[in-house]
Amino acid sequence: MKEKLAPLWVLLAGVLWGTTGTAQTYAPDAAHPIAVGAARLAVGGLSLLLVAILFGQLNLRNWPIKVTVAAALCMAAYQPLFFTAVQQTGVAVGTVIAIGSAPLLSGALEWLLLKKTPSKGWWISTLLSIIGCFLLFFNKGAANADPTGIFMALGAGLSFAVYTIVSKGLVHTASSLSVVAVVFTLSAVFLSPVLFFYDMSWMAEPGGLAVSLHLGLLATGAAYLLFAKALVHVPSSTAVTLALAEPLTAAMLGVVLVREQLDLLSWAGVSCLILGIGFLAVFSRRDRAEKVVKQSAGFKKTL
């Protein structure tokens, strides 16, 4: 049952992540993008750590330190890169470039570093999703082709791709809750110097507090916990492609709440994203069914 629900967990995590860019637009004007990222990690990491302690799932004995540090550094880097990109390019475009580039980067890294060739379904769904991202990128109503913002978004995509691959190994050595609790608490520590360079008084305002709690508890704590649980059953390249529900959600929220404009070309891009995500979800289920059949056949032969 958990294996069947794993793709759904990734999609739900993607929807929660898709609210981050929109949430940032509701933060007080004094909230710098890097400060918003630091607040997100602080609230998310500490809340996850508290839950892990309360449920008795925090066991640091024989913990893989190097892999954990790598995952934490990726998340610490992702925050300022992503929030700066969203500020400079818009919610829809910044999120689309950041997460839209992640599947290709993840598949390429798995291919080059892990010698693992992505499945045929991944290639087709990723191609559809990338086409969708490009169509969204060419939206003239909301896109701001700022080179720095685009570079930041691509950097965020690379950080997310590496985090996914690294976390794939972590979730097999400890519980999903303890993994995200340790990784995000450590990420918050890495970004803690930001607290001394940027004004954080905006967090005391009602709007700032609401944004911080949403980003930390829902868009970080709940979302990454679901994502970590799914990684136990879903390949990292597949998980990153399914996570394209994030730019889809961001684009929709950008239109409805932030009043960003999407033209016909951009709506075509949204349709391609939906097809890509849906195709991969169906293909992943078929792959798992074929795997079960092969395992059953192998078991019968041994008898």
Side-chain angles (χ1 to χ4, degrees):
M1 179 63 68
K2 290 182 178 180
E3 188 174 354
K4 291 181 179 180
L5 291 176
L8 181 61
W9 292 341
V10 180
L11 289 175
L12 182 56
V15 170
L16 290 173
W17 289 330
T19 65
T20 56
T22 301
Q24 182 189 4
T25 64
Y26 287 94
D29 294 336
H32 191 278
I34 297 179
V36 172
R40 178 190 185 186
L41 285 183
V43 174
L46 293 177
S47 61
L48 286 167
L49 186 63
L50 179 60
V51 172
I53 293 173
L54 289 176
F55 281 87
Q57 293 194 23
L58 191 63
N59 184 4
L60 300 180
R61 184 177 299 175
N62 299 322
W63 193 277
I65 298 177
K66 291 183 179 179
V67 179
T68 303
V69 170
L73 285 173
C74 287
M75 274 297 102
Y78 177 86
Q79 308 307 318
L81 289 171
F82 174 77
F83 284 110
T84 302
V86 166
Q87 185 188 55
Q88 296 184 0
T89 63
V91 174
V93 173
T95 308
V96 162
I97 296 175
I99 304 304
S101 64
L104 183 60
L105 294 170
S106 177
L109 289 172
E110 280 191 340
W111 196 359
L112 295 173
L113 301 179
L114 304 180
K115 308 301 180 184
K116 182 179 179 181
T117 304
S119 66
K120 185 184 297 184
W122 177 88
W123 285 107
I124 298 173
S125 58
T126 298
L127 178 61
L128 283 170
S129 301
I130 290 174
I131 291 174
C133 290
F134 271 111
L135 292 175
L136 275 174
F137 174 73
F138 287 114
N139 165 38
K140 298 178 180 178
N144 177 14
D146 181 85
T148 303
I150 293 174
F151 179 78
M152 292 280 188
L154 290 173
L158 179 61
S159 297
F160 182 70
V162 176
Y163 166 80
T164 304
I165 293 174
V166 172
S167 295
K168 181 72 175 176
L170 277 175
V171 294
H172 288 288
T173 61
S175 70
S176 301
L177 177 57
S178 60
V179 167
V180 291
V182 171
V183 168
F184 281 90
T185 300
L186 188 57
S187 297
V189 172
F190 287 152
L191 274 187
S192 60
V194 168
L195 304 178
F196 299 98
F197 293 98
Y198 293 95
D199 179 17
M200 303 298 294
S201 62
W202 57 270
M203 290 184 65
E205 301 178 24
L209 180 61
V211 168
S212 300
L213 291 176
H214 171 80
L215 291 176
L217 298 179
L218 295 179
T220 300
Y224 278 98
L225 180 56
L226 288 169
F227 190 67
K229 283 182 174 293
L231 283 178
V232 178
H233 307 288
V234 177
S236 54
S237 55
T238 299
V240 172
T241 301
L242 286 172
L244 285 170
E246 177 178 352
L248 179 61
T249 303
M252 296 297 96
L253 291 177
V255 170
V256 176
L257 298 180
V258 189
R259 304 299 181 185
E260 294 180 350
Q261 298 297 317
L262 293 179
D263 56 17
L264 184 60
L265 198 62
S266 297
W267 283 115
V270 170
S271 300
C272 284
L273 277 171
I274 294 174
L275 287 174
I277 294 169
F279 184 88
L280 185 60
V282 173
F283 202 94
S284 297
R285 181 176 297 179
R286 186 182 303 171
D287 282 347
R288 287 195 301 274
E290 292 178 354
K291 184 179 179 181
V292 170
V293 171
K294 291 180 180 179
Q295 289 176 343
S296 300
F299 179 70
K300 289 179 180 179
K301 287 182 180 179
T302 58
L303 296 177

